Amino acid sequence: MLPEATRYLKATVSLFSPNVFLNASKLSAHGAPSSLQTRRNLRVSHCFAARVPPQKKPREKVEIPGLEMVTYGDRMHYVPGLAKPVYPPWEMSFKDPRYYRSPPAQEMALYKDKPCYVFNQRTSILEGVRQAAWLTKTHVRPGLLPHLVSLAAKPENQLPDQDERVQNAIKHSRFWDTTEPRPRKEKYSNTLLLNLLHLCATLQPTHPAVGRRILAENYSLAATWKRGEDLFQIRGRNGLLHCSMDPLPRICGEQEVLETSDQVLESFYPVSPTIDLQQVSEGEYPYPHAHTLYFLETSDPNCQLRPEQFRAKMIMFTFGNALARAHKLYGPQSLLERPITVQAVGTNGRIFQFLVFQLNTTDLSGDDGIKNQAWLDEDVELYDFAKVRPFIKRKEVPAGLAGYKPETFSKFLALYLHGAA
Amino acid sequence: MALSCLTRALRSLTLSQPALLSSQTPVVQLKLGTLVPSTVSQCRGFLTTASLKHNRAYLKQLDKYTIRPIGIKKSGGRDHTGKIRTRGIGGGHKQKHRWVDFQRLRYEPNKEGQPFEEKVVEVRYDPCRSADIALLAGGNRKRWIVATEKMQAGDIIKTSGVIGRMAVSANEGDAYPLGALPVGTLVNNLEIQPGRGSKYIRAAGTSGVLLRKVNGTAIVQLPSKQQVQVLETCIVTVGRVSNIDHNKRIIGKAGRNRWLGIRPSSGLWKRKGGWAGRKIKPLPPMKNYVNLPSISAN
């Protein structure tokens, strides 16, 4: 150990040199040149040390092809007036995994010249729902289909004491779940969603199909499709995915599916539909069918999504799930015999967005033909206020839960029971 | 034990070439110009990975354009030596720099040569300049530009580099070469040399006037009434710069000046010299940026 230590110290010591300007300006942590470091003269006081003028850029070397440079390489020592010899970079003769540098992107095996536009869970696209509809070749309709909503109106599909239990769930998530005065938004929205899911799952004795489902957290999604000449990809880890063993039944009849081919997708000139997408150059599970996706608002300060962008993200991820399922079931053919339906619910703790997406075709290259369909119910409030303190700046505001709307939970329940009831 | 190693190493100090510390760090280049071997006061150079100098020029080192606001460090009027070079600057509210693209005619990578349109997404206040800035989105990219007077969110703005035979009737906010505009239009964000980016007429409420067009060049009157002759391919924006009431604002109190980062001037009474007072003098001669051999005399 000792000789090694002395060797190491000798190496450090040989850097000792009095009165030397250490030109450390070419070093950084990664061994790459950086101009963050500068020259220091440590033998004088700070005031004089700072008086060095800023470093000038070195003279640009001009390469004249065909002109042979006379270098001092042959003479093995520096000669003023001759050029500095340039040697080819040294490569190790054997492969050592500790010192492997990956080739630039152009020389990698999977490189493709065409750019691929990637949508991930933090993407916030400029035009919101319209851009998502164009990218997925979807016709978006406001409001949910009435036969879905009437599912929850039937008495056998309702919970005993439904309103009271939902209000208890809201109060639990908003008031009782913490030792601090108020729970934070990410916490209460998460608790509220899990409570509501639990309430819906208590219907399992009467609806046995509910038991053939499972919740998956933090799943990763990857789906690719071609639109026009560009490749698009969705990748990401999302919120909650509710998967089931049986697929969801189709929402919309054949006739209406054919009618969508007459509708035109909205365009938003001059903004290209690929704006805000990241440009990149190019497993058996017993519950295979994606049933519902649950989206929560993230607390990440870098990606605050406005409501429009949040709905766009819901559409894109629902589409991604449906597309992945379609590729798995039907392979590369374009028209699906049975359309794939996926649902999504997004919430910020108080306001809910419901989405039902039906994938009719995977032929997304052109703008005409059969389109996919989506029904989007925007900004449905579950309750108006859930205030902790009764007085806010001398104005009397009722503490506790106020303005509870039972229809929202019945929609939630309807989406949950769809396919099981 | 370690101390004895250290002293033994110090005693065997040599002036050989420095060895590599590990095979991964590149060789340190030492300037062995002035070497005075002295055993008493030895200054050891050392390397750190953190920045040794307080790096204030982060803004100047970025090469990829981004619309994200970038934090800036205030200089306080101090230069690289640490002494005040400009008096009266210091303090004030923190500001984030939004990188404004002054070269209006910047084509997207694959779409050179064609006039293009962009949509104004929002117009907002910029703490770093007197004018407002607008976020434009077009094609695949977004960028900030200096907003003109009546620009609003949702407008479509055209940028073109083509000079036709007939003058274009330009809308406010569009950018054209000087040769394509009719004489007498109010312009702003003037480029002196084509492709270098606009350097003139960028302050709030200012506008220049296109006076005349003379075989391949155009003469523009700047807000200071100085006239300037530039090539007609230089791009300008049409209209007045936004925030036109900027010169009518009243500061109101000393504190508001301090919020803007303006320190008080010295209160010492000084007799005013020849620089003070109203001056009436003729306009300076027209500045020519065209580098043409002058046909006229002189």
Side-chain angles (χ1 to χ4, degrees):
Chain A
M1 188 256 156
L2 197 54
E4 279 176 20
T6 43
R7 226 178 295 139
Y8 186 78
L9 279 168
K10 266 200 179 143
T12 45
V13 151
S14 50
L15 289 176
F16 287 9
S17 253
N19 206 2
V20 154
F21 279 108
L22 182 61
N23 196 348
S25 57
K26 302 285 177 236
L27 289 176
S28 78
H30 307 288
S34 91
S35 49
L36 290 182
Q37 306 230 334
T38 187
R39 302 142 51 192
R40 292 252 288 227
N41 182 5
L42 294 166
R43 291 188 78 237
V44 294
S45 65
H46 72 279
C47 172
F48 293 105
R51 216 162 260 211
V52 282
Q55 230 179 0
K56 289 184 220 161
K57 289 188 197 133
R59 197 179 352 153
E60 280 181 32
K61 295 207 170 119
V62 180
E63 299 276 337
I64 304 174
L67 189 71
E68 198 189 307
M69 307 286 280
V70 182
T71 65
Y72 56 80
D74 298 327
R75 305 209 200 177
M76 305 290 271
H77 64 94
Y78 174 71
V79 173
L82 294 186
K84 186 169 174 184
V86 174
Y87 298 113
W90 174 76
E91 304 267 337
M92 280 171 108
S93 51
F94 57 94
K95 205 171 93 163
D96 190 343
R98 290 183 295 167
Y99 307 114
Y100 172 68
R101 293 207 95 153
S102 55
Q106 271 85 347
E107 290 160 30
M108 298 286 253
L110 297 171
Y111 178 73
K112 294 186 179 52
D113 278 320
K114 259 195 315 192
C116 176
Y117 298 99
V118 178
F119 185 96
N120 58 27
Q121 73 271 22
R122 299 191 321 184
T123 312
S124 156
I125 47 184
L126 185 70
E127 289 281 334
V129 173
R130 283 165 54 195
Q131 190 173 351
W134 189 94
L135 287 172
T136 56
K137 202 172 161 190
T138 311
H139 180 69
V140 182
R141 256 170 276 205
L144 289 181
L145 281 180
H147 75 249
L148 259 190
V149 179
S150 59
L151 246 189
K154 294 188 216 162
E156 65 261 15
N157 288 350
Q158 287 182 358
L159 304 164
D161 296 330
Q162 179 170 309
D163 287 343
E164 192 192 317
R165 288 173 82 178
V166 173
Q167 285 181 328
N168 276 342
I170 301 172
K171 284 179 193 168
H172 169 246
S173 63
R174 287 300 297 255
F175 306 129
W176 305 330
D177 193 25
T178 174
T179 51
E180 294 158 0
R182 322 157 51 169
R184 279 169 300 120
K185 187 177 206 175
E186 352 13 289
K187 186 152 196 238
Y188 74 66
S189 54
N190 197 25
T191 338
L192 180 63
L193 191 65
L194 292 176
N195 286 347
L196 294 180
L197 280 174
H198 175 78
L199 281 178
C200 298
T202 53
L203 278 178
Q204 193 185 343
T206 46
H207 300 81
V210 167
R212 295 159 61 81
R213 294 184 188 169
I214 197 175
L215 272 180
E217 267 187 35
N218 226 9
Y219 70 97
S220 3
L221 170 71
T224 319
W225 73 100
K226 248 182 116 160
R227 189 95 171 84
E229 297 149 1
D230 308 312
L231 266 176
F232 291 93
Q233 259 194 17
I234 293 192
R235 284 180 180 278
R237 289 174 172 256
N238 213 3
L240 281 178
L241 176 61
H242 200 76
C243 314
S244 87
M245 290 186 183
D246 320 308
L248 277 171
R250 62 187 299 158
I251 300 259
C252 196
E254 290 255 0
Q255 182 59 33
E256 299 181 20
V257 167
L258 288 173
E259 274 173 14
T260 59
S261 53
D262 303 327
Q263 281 139 5
V264 176
L265 288 172
E266 287 179 68
S267 82
F268 23 86
Y269 181 77
V271 177
S272 138
T274 50
I275 203 172
D276 278 328
L277 295 178
Q278 213 183 351
Q279 273 199 38
V280 181
S281 57
E282 331 180 19
E284 250 317 304
Y285 185 50
Y287 299 86
H289 301 272
H291 184 269
T292 319
L293 285 88
Y294 294 100
F295 289 82
L296 291 170
E297 283 199 357
T298 51
S299 51
D300 191 5
N302 288 340
C303 62
Q304 297 281 355
L305 294 177
R306 293 199 300 271
E308 185 71 18
Q309 270 79 24
F310 186 60
R311 278 175 238 132
K313 177 177 154 185
M314 280 170 65
I315 296 183
M316 296 298 289
F317 272 93
T318 330
F319 171 75
N321 271 296
L323 191 69
R325 194 78 219 119
H327 281 319
K328 203 132 187 238
L329 279 181
Y330 300 110
Q333 86 191 79
S334 61
L335 188 53
L336 317 171
E337 20 187 272
R338 295 188 61 205
I340 297 181
T341 316
V342 187
Q343 297 171 155
V345 176
T347 176
N348 74 344
R350 185 173 78 89
I351 305 184
F352 282 76
Q353 336 267 355
F354 297 108
L355 171 72
V356 182
F357 189 91
Q358 177 167 312
L359 185 75
N360 298 324
T361 169
T362 51
D363 174 26
L364 301 161
S365 28
D367 268 348
D368 45 351
I370 296 183
K371 314 227 179 357
N372 307 317
Q373 286 159 307
W375 289 265
L376 181 59
D377 213 359
E378 306 179 342
D379 288 339
V380 190
E381 294 173 351
L382 184 57
Y383 51 89
D384 280 334
F385 299 107
K387 301 277 188 213
V388 177
R389 291 185 325 185
F391 280 94
I392 293 189
K393 289 192 183 167
R394 295 231 201 128
K395 229 177 11 177
E396 193 174 323
V397 170
L401 190 59
Y404 167 66
K405 296 182 176 58
E407 306 85 38
T408 318
F409 181 70
S410 47
K411 282 187 193 167
F412 189 91
L413 190 57
L415 284 188
Y416 187 89
L417 290 176
H418 184 219
Chain B
M1 196 268 298
L3 193 55
S4 61
C5 288
L6 188 59
T7 45
R8 212 180 305 139
L10 276 173
R11 239 176 281 130
S12 62
L13 185 65
T14 56
L15 296 175
S16 54
Q17 285 292 320
L20 289 176
L21 281 181
S22 71
S23 48
Q24 278 171 345
T25 55
V27 177
V28 174
Q29 297 166 13
L30 289 183
K31 281 202 193 132
L32 299 174
T34 56
L35 227 60
V36 177
S38 83
T39 46
V40 177
S41 59
Q42 285 177 1
C43 174
R44 179 192 176 193
F46 52 90
L47 308 171
T48 58
T49 49
S51 165
L52 293 181
K53 174 173 158 302
H54 173 63
N55 182 28
R56 223 187 285 124
Y58 180 65
L59 274 182
K60 312 255 169 81
Q61 286 159 16
L62 292 173
D63 49 351
K64 185 156 188 283
Y65 181 82
T66 170
I67 57 167
R68 182 182 58 89
I70 306 163
I72 39 174
K73 293 183 184 166
K74 290 189 179 287
S75 67
R78 271 88 176 159
D79 63 3
H80 63 277
T81 64
K83 297 199 163 187
I84 295 184
R85 197 181 261 194
T86 309
R87 293 191 304 202
I89 301 183
H93 200 283
K94 268 197 184 173
Q95 296 175 344
K96 285 205 179 179
H97 175 80
R98 281 139 186 101
W99 189 341
V100 173
D101 189 7
F102 287 112
Q103 190 179 339
R104 186 63 189 268
L105 187 71
R106 195 187 291 267
Y107 295 111
E108 274 193 277
N110 293 335
K111 298 181 202 156
E112 306 275 336
Q114 307 140 25
F116 55 94
E117 291 189 348
E118 284 167 309
K119 182 172 160 187
V120 176
V121 175
E122 68 162 330
V123 176
R124 81 183 294 276
Y125 172 79
D126 189 8
C128 301
R129 64 198 80 247
S130 53
D132 294 334
I133 50 173
L135 181 60
L136 292 190
N140 261 341
R141 61 155 185 205
K142 293 196 259 198
R143 55 185 183 152
W144 292 107
I145 60 156
V146 175
T148 56
E149 190 187 344
K150 294 198 182 68
M151 228 186 235
Q152 304 220 323
D155 294 348
I156 308 277
I157 301 276
K158 189 159 175 217
T159 313
S160 159
V162 168
I163 305 180
R165 250 175 10 107
M166 294 235 318
V168 180
S169 82
N171 297 323
E172 200 218 308
D174 294 345
Y176 290 101
L178 278 167
L181 291 173
V183 167
T185 33
L186 292 180
V187 296
N188 61 72
N189 285 70
L190 174 69
E191 273 185 343
I192 288 300
Q193 284 157 11
R196 294 282 291 260
S198 62
K199 308 257 192 242
Y200 289 74
I201 323 179
R202 299 178 348 191
T206 49
S207 60
V209 182
L210 180 56
L211 290 178
R212 49 185 214 273
K213 295 194 265 190
V214 174
N215 69 330
T217 65
I219 296 176
V220 178
Q221 177 180 290
L222 302 180
S224 59
K225 311 283 191 300
Q226 154 90 314
Q227 296 183 355
V228 149
Q229 182 169 22
V230 291
L231 281 174
E232 65 172 7
T233 46
C234 294
I235 303 288
V236 283
T237 340
V238 176
R240 283 178 75 182
V241 183
S242 53
N243 203 6
I244 47 178
D245 293 326
H246 177 72
N247 57 350
K248 298 197 190 75
R249 65 172 178 167
I250 302 173
I251 300 286
K253 58 180 190 178
R256 188 160 283 120
N257 250 344
R258 295 307 298 269
W259 300 342
L260 298 171
I262 303 171
R263 283 178 67 209
S265 44
S266 107
L268 183 66
W269 178 85
K270 296 168 184 167
R271 173 154 301 280
K272 297 196 200 298
W275 53 269
R278 183 173 176 182
K279 305 277 183 297
I280 299 176
K281 50 179 188 168
L283 272 185
M286 185 170 73
K287 182 88 176 118
N288 195 330
Y289 288 101
V290 174
N291 297 336
L292 279 180
S294 57
I295 303 169
S296 56
N298 301 354

